[in-house]
Amino acid sequence: MFKSIEATGKTMELAVKAGLETLQMDRDSVTVELLEQPRSGFFGIGATPAKVRLTYEVPDPVPEKKPEPAPKPQPKAESKAEPKAEPKPKAEPKPKAEPKPKAEPKPKTEPKPKAAAPVAVSTAEPGSVEARIETFMKGLLEHMGSDAVPVATKTADDTYAVELQGSSLGMLIGRRGDTLDAIQHITNYAVNHGQGKRIRINVDAENYRKKREESLVRLANKVAGKVVKTRRNITLEPMNAYERHVIHAALQDYPDVTTYSTGTEPGRRIVVAYSRYRSVPAEE
């Protein structure tokens, strides 16, 4: 589930910083909504600070189990005295058996080494588009100091998906996927350079893009619900073109809500606005 707090500051950046200090969280763990723009006023009179809302995701609480009532102690049954048994005669001691020779210890076998995690192997044919993509990306990743292995597959007409396999892929994803986007952009430019027919290459690692898309869809629906409830527009934090497309697509059929982008790159944002006029179906 999501939780949020509001914070103020002389500028939007200072308001965000104050909210992060209160939550003891980093910038990547929250989503920022600008509630009020700062105003300088007239000679400082009537000045208002910037107001933002910081939204963060927390795990759903687990319901506590009620302790079961302890069983009631049952009254002990009265024990009747039993007659004492007569002592048995002592048995004669048996002769001691000769000690058995000790078995020689078996030689210890060395433990087998654990098998390494399987890594996907490329099946690209030499000279194919997949092979060209993988060859370029291997060189690029080596220059970045990474031993990740790119595996390219064709997913649709003129579209190829590249999955990076290996360990320590976090540095290839970067902050909010910035490094992954840069690798994808460079690969698209290099592979398409000098070619007559352009192809589209999508690069992913550790299923990051699907997880990010699911998180954005949850955020979009939560913000749209607030807009309809309060009838006030909400401006989201700056996003890249792909993330803005996910928000637009998630809310395109949401009732009484419309979305549009404002600003310039890299600070372009989405505004989730309340639509007062509902569409009326045409008479047949």
Side-chain angles (χ1 to χ4, degrees):
M1 66 177 181
F2 289 92
K3 288 188 176 182
S4 61
I5 66 166
E6 295 181 1
T8 59
K10 190 174 181 181
T11 63
M12 179 181 175
E13 290 74 15
L14 293 176
V16 172
K17 182 178 179 181
L20 293 175
E21 290 177 354
T22 301
L23 294 173
Q24 295 295 315
M25 301 175 73
D26 56 20
R27 183 64 177 77
D28 293 341
S29 303
V30 301
T31 301
V32 180
E33 301 171 19
L34 179 62
L35 301 179
E36 293 182 10
Q37 291 278 6
R39 298 179 181 177
S40 58
F42 184 72
F43 290 103
I45 300 174
T48 57
K51 187 176 183 181
V52 296
R53 178 182 289 116
L54 277 67
T55 303
Y56 56 99
E57 192 171 3
V58 296
D60 295 332
V62 179
E64 296 181 358
K65 293 184 179 180
K66 295 182 179 180
E68 297 181 358
K72 295 181 179 180
Q74 297 180 356
K76 295 182 179 179
E78 296 181 359
S79 59
K80 295 180 179 180
E82 296 181 356
K84 293 182 179 179
E86 295 180 0
K88 295 181 180 180
K90 293 184 179 179
E92 295 181 1
K94 294 181 180 180
K96 294 182 179 180
E98 296 181 359
K100 296 181 180 180
K102 294 183 179 180
E104 295 182 359
K106 296 181 179 180
K108 295 182 179 180
T109 56
E110 296 182 359
K112 296 180 179 180
K114 293 183 179 179
V119 178
V121 179
S122 172
T123 57
E125 297 181 1
S128 63
V129 177
E130 292 91 335
R132 284 172 35 219
I133 295 172
E134 292 177 1
T135 301
F136 171 78
M137 292 197 67
K138 285 177 183 177
L140 176 62
L141 294 172
E142 288 177 2
H143 279 83
M144 296 176 66
S146 172
D147 58 356
V149 178
V151 179
T153 55
K154 188 174 183 179
T155 56
D157 292 340
D158 304 328
T159 303
Y160 294 81
V162 181
E163 182 69 22
L164 302 181
Q165 302 283 346
S167 58
S168 302
L169 298 178
M171 72 172 216
L172 299 180
I173 296 174
R175 180 180 177 273
R176 297 197 176 182
D178 289 347
T179 306
L180 199 64
D181 290 340
I183 294 173
Q184 178 174 292
H185 178 75
I186 294 172
T187 304
N188 272 277
Y189 177 80
V191 174
N192 284 294
H193 183 68
Q195 302 295 322
K197 190 176 182 181
R198 183 175 180 81
I199 61 173
R200 181 178 179 85
I201 304 170
N202 298 319
V203 183
D204 199 1
E206 295 183 344
N207 210 19
Y208 167 79
R209 296 200 185 278
K210 183 179 180 182
K211 295 175 183 176
R212 177 62 174 163
E213 183 175 336
E214 292 173 350
S215 176
L216 289 171
V217 170
R218 290 196 300 268
L219 172 66
N221 284 280
K222 180 176 181 293
V223 172
K226 287 184 179 180
V227 169
V228 172
K229 184 178 180 180
T230 62
R231 299 191 177 187
R232 293 179 58 187
N233 299 352
I234 294 178
T235 303
L236 301 181
E237 61 186 323
M239 298 180 183
N240 59 34
Y242 166 74
E243 293 178 337
R244 294 198 304 270
H245 170 74
V246 172
I247 298 292
H248 287 308
L251 299 181
Q252 63 181 354
D253 296 326
Y254 201 100
D256 299 332
V257 163
T258 185
T259 59
Y260 61 90
S261 298
T262 183
T264 57
E265 299 289 359
R268 195 161 175 79
R269 309 164 182 263
I270 283 185
V271 178
V272 183
Y274 176 70
S275 176
R276 297 185 179 182
Y277 303 100
R278 297 186 180 181
S279 58
V280 180
E283 297 182 1
E284 298 182 355

